[in-house]
Amino acid sequence: MNPSSIPQLSAALPGILRRPAAPAPGIVHLGLGNFHRAHQAVYTDAAVTAAGGDWGIIGVSNRSSAVPDAMHAQDMLYTVVEISPEGSRFSVPRVHTDAFTAANNPNRVLQVIGDAATRIVSLTVTENGYHYTPATGSLNLQDPAIRHDLENAATPRTPIGQIVRGLQHRARTHAQPVTILSCDNLADNGHHTERLIREFASQLSPAEGTETLAFIDTCTSFPSSMVDRIVPATTEHYRNLVAAQTGYTDSIPVPAEPFTMWIVEDNFIAGRPAWEAGGAVFSSDVAGYEQLKVRLLNGTHSLIAYLGALSGAVTIPDSVAHTHIELAARSVLRNEYLPSVSVPAGVDVDAYEEQLFSRWRNTALGHRTSQVGSDGSVKLRQRIPLPALQMLETGHMPHLLALTTAAYLTCIAPLSGFDPGPQAAAMEDPARALLSTLAAQSHSGQDLAERVLAEHHLLGEELAGQAGFIKRTGELIDTLHAHGPIAAIADAGTPAHPYAATRSTP
């Protein structure tokens, strides 16, 4: 097939759309990345198809104009490619009404958030996008971007600043209610987002702050949610796959695993789409599902990514194919994360574990260890401290949580003379510069762990006072540097079978 003869994806192509037009806008989404386009947008497309409603999405990219430009060139369309070893499935959601880049038009962000037609503002901006201090969970008032947003009302740069300034616009014009819906991997993400927004508003002048906080009190809601779907980066492979299988070209297809889950607290002050039509579950126990996902899935995923990267594994399937890494992953999931989780009623933990490993073995998806391992300075603060502290309080050392921390530091901030490999080098992390400086000043793993955990509180203030955990992390850093991942897994005491340790289910 000659690529030049293949038409570009557009609304004019026959047979690809279920609806003749996108719905009128009712949602503003901050974070126009692959995850949103394969998750919330897909659920919204199903909701509108089933029940109608003015729930079109205005997508806002923070800095890059690549996706907004491509969406405009393709009539706001793109392809979701569900990837599995059995084959691929293609769908084209038609729910976005517009897309633009916040950095190029910051005032427009305030306008769309402030528009009376907007009833939901949702976010997928990663944990790092909330600009909070991991050690305390509070808004980082020393962050230059937050300082800018406090001092420049018309041109906010951060999602928190953009939302508060948009809420001010609503309060001063029509005062219509709006829901703020976080879809990021933050513990209790609804309340966490509300806290950060209130902390920002409280820093405004007394008159501004009083007005804004009063509007938040009466005209906003902050439901919590738990999202789950593996969505890798778009590559040329997926563009070629779409062209070969569908007969059109798409510059921004989104690969995703077949599995998808969305657990949402039903607390929408201005209404919501019928997301249950797409399979969303509305529950009062979002926290239980969130613990299940953030610890068992995300926490274990991190260990697989860091050990895999240090073993030369390019993808998560490559990593979990290492027997020692799989055993370590199963052990940390079952013996160190699970005891801290309040498992929701009706969830079969054994089946959930097997489902996770089946997803991680999806070789057709090829989720990169460098992608999963990025932003660990923010992610691990959500995953490790509470289960680690619970074990320490009972007199047990969480060896594999210490190994996760050690492997992360070895990837991002190796001691002088050690090369963690290209996958580790490709990981992005806002703390890399600081951690690299601390590593350069350190003469051993113990020294590095002390500087990072005790002095700089990477994993929070409580773990900063746990000398035994810090010492164990340092020992495992030294083992990783001197002998490699397999030796470190053995040093961490991984049982020959993942259920060798005592199983503890809440």
Side-chain angles (χ1 to χ4, degrees):
M1 183 179 291
N2 182 0
S4 63
S5 66
I6 303 175
Q8 184 179 36
L9 174 61
S10 76
L13 289 175
I16 63 166
L17 299 174
R18 291 174 292 175
R19 293 192 309 279
I27 300 173
V28 171
H29 185 84
L30 306 180
L32 190 59
N34 275 16
F35 185 82
H36 159 69
R37 293 190 293 127
H39 197 271
Q40 294 87 7
V42 171
Y43 282 88
T44 304
D45 184 72
V48 174
T49 299
D54 293 339
W55 296 111
I57 301 173
I58 299 174
V60 183
S61 172
N62 188 25
R63 291 183 299 273
S64 173
S65 60
V67 171
D69 288 351
M71 289 184 71
H72 279 283
Q74 297 179 177
D75 294 337
M76 309 308 299
L77 304 175
Y78 59 91
T79 310
V80 176
V81 187
E82 290 188 3
I83 305 293
S84 71
E86 291 75 36
S88 301
R89 179 175 174 270
F90 305 88
S91 61
V92 180
R94 190 171 202 187
V95 73
H96 290 90
T97 65
D98 200 359
F100 67 96
T101 305
N104 298 341
N105 200 343
N107 189 254
R108 190 175 175 213
V109 184
L110 311 189
Q111 293 173 2
V112 295
I113 293 176
D115 193 309
T118 297
R119 289 174 282 166
I120 296 173
V121 177
S122 52
L123 304 86
T124 50
V125 295
T126 77
E127 296 94 328
N128 191 40
Y130 288 76
H131 295 270
Y132 68 96
T133 303
T136 64
S138 298
L139 188 67
N140 184 1
L141 296 174
Q142 305 309 312
D143 188 302
I146 293 294
R147 297 307 312 170
H148 171 275
D149 288 2
L150 287 167
E151 296 163 5
N152 298 273
T155 58
R157 297 173 180 170
T158 70
I160 297 300
Q162 290 161 350
I163 291 171
V164 172
R165 298 303 186 181
L167 295 181
Q168 287 184 287
H169 179 82
R170 298 181 77 92
R172 293 167 183 171
T173 53
H174 49 77
Q176 291 296 307
V178 65
T179 296
I180 311 300
L181 175 62
S182 171
C183 300
D184 285 298
N185 289 324
L186 297 169
D188 197 13
N189 57 10
H191 290 102
H192 193 170
T193 304
E194 180 180 8
R195 172 186 176 180
L196 298 176
I197 284 172
R198 287 182 176 276
E199 288 177 352
F200 186 101
S202 70
Q203 295 296 313
L204 302 174
S205 68
E208 279 189 296
T210 299
E211 172 194 55
T212 307
L213 289 168
F215 181 81
I216 292 170
D217 289 339
T218 58
C219 297
T220 63
S221 63
F222 296 84
S224 286
S225 71
M226 187 281 285
V227 297
D228 189 4
R229 192 174 207 185
I230 296 173
V231 181
T234 299
T235 64
E236 201 61 32
H237 166 75
Y238 296 112
R239 295 185 183 95
N240 292 336
L241 180 64
V242 169
Q245 296 293 319
T246 68
Y248 60 75
T249 61
D250 182 351
S251 63
I252 50 168
V254 182
E257 66 171 334
F259 177 90
T260 181
M261 180 183 286
W262 196 7
I263 311 296
V264 194
E265 180 185 7
D266 203 353
N267 178 26
F268 291 79
I269 195 170
R272 62 167 177 81
W275 282 319
E276 57 268 45
V281 175
F282 289 89
S283 172
S284 59
D285 189 20
V286 173
Y289 286 98
E290 182 182 79
Q291 290 177 12
L292 201 70
K293 196 245 180 177
V294 170
R295 296 176 194 163
L296 272 61
L297 190 161
N298 296 135
T300 305
H301 212 189
S302 290
L303 181 62
I304 293 169
Y306 296 128
L307 291 177
L310 294 170
S311 301
V314 175
T315 68
I316 293 298
D318 292 340
S319 180
V320 83
H322 287 262
T323 301
H324 293 85
I325 294 178
E326 178 180 348
L327 288 174
R330 288 186 180 273
S331 185
V332 75
L333 183 155
R334 178 66 66 169
N335 302 317
E336 299 191 11
Y337 279 121
L338 181 58
S340 72
V341 173
S342 298
V343 179
V347 173
D348 182 330
V349 172
D350 292 337
Y352 183 76
E353 178 181 338
E354 292 311 312
Q355 183 185 59
L356 288 180
F357 278 88
S358 176
R359 294 167 64 191
W360 290 330
R361 290 193 191 99
N362 186 345
T363 54
L365 203 60
H367 205 188
R368 290 181 172 268
T369 53
S370 59
Q371 183 181 358
V372 177
S374 289
D375 295 331
S377 59
V378 181
K379 292 176 178 177
L380 297 186
R381 178 64 181 84
Q382 297 288 321
R383 302 168 187 178
I384 289 177
L386 194 148
L389 288 165
Q390 286 189 3
M391 287 191 68
L392 290 165
E393 286 170 3
T394 63
H396 296 89
M397 176 58 64
H399 294 283
L400 288 161
L401 296 179
L403 178 59
T404 304
T405 309
Y408 160 71
L409 290 172
T410 300
C411 284
I412 299 297
L415 297 173
S416 179
F418 181 80
D419 181 4
Q423 307 313 314
M427 292 176 184
E428 299 179 0
D429 198 294
R432 184 185 279 274
L434 169 63
L435 296 178
S436 296
T437 298
L438 297 177
Q441 298 168 353
S442 302
H443 302 292
S444 67
Q446 180 65 43
D447 194 9
L448 177 59
E450 185 73 25
R451 292 176 190 271
V452 171
L453 300 179
E455 297 175 15
H456 286 269
H457 298 187
L458 177 76
L459 296 181
E461 296 177 352
E462 291 186 84
L463 267 185
Q466 296 290 334
F469 181 83
I470 294 170
K471 180 175 183 292
R472 192 70 185 102
T473 300
E475 292 170 349
L476 290 165
I477 292 173
D478 286 331
T479 301
L480 284 165
H481 282 67
H483 304 294
I486 292 178
I489 291 169
D491 188 358
T494 300
H497 187 280
Y499 306 137
T502 300
R503 291 173 59 172
S504 175
T505 303

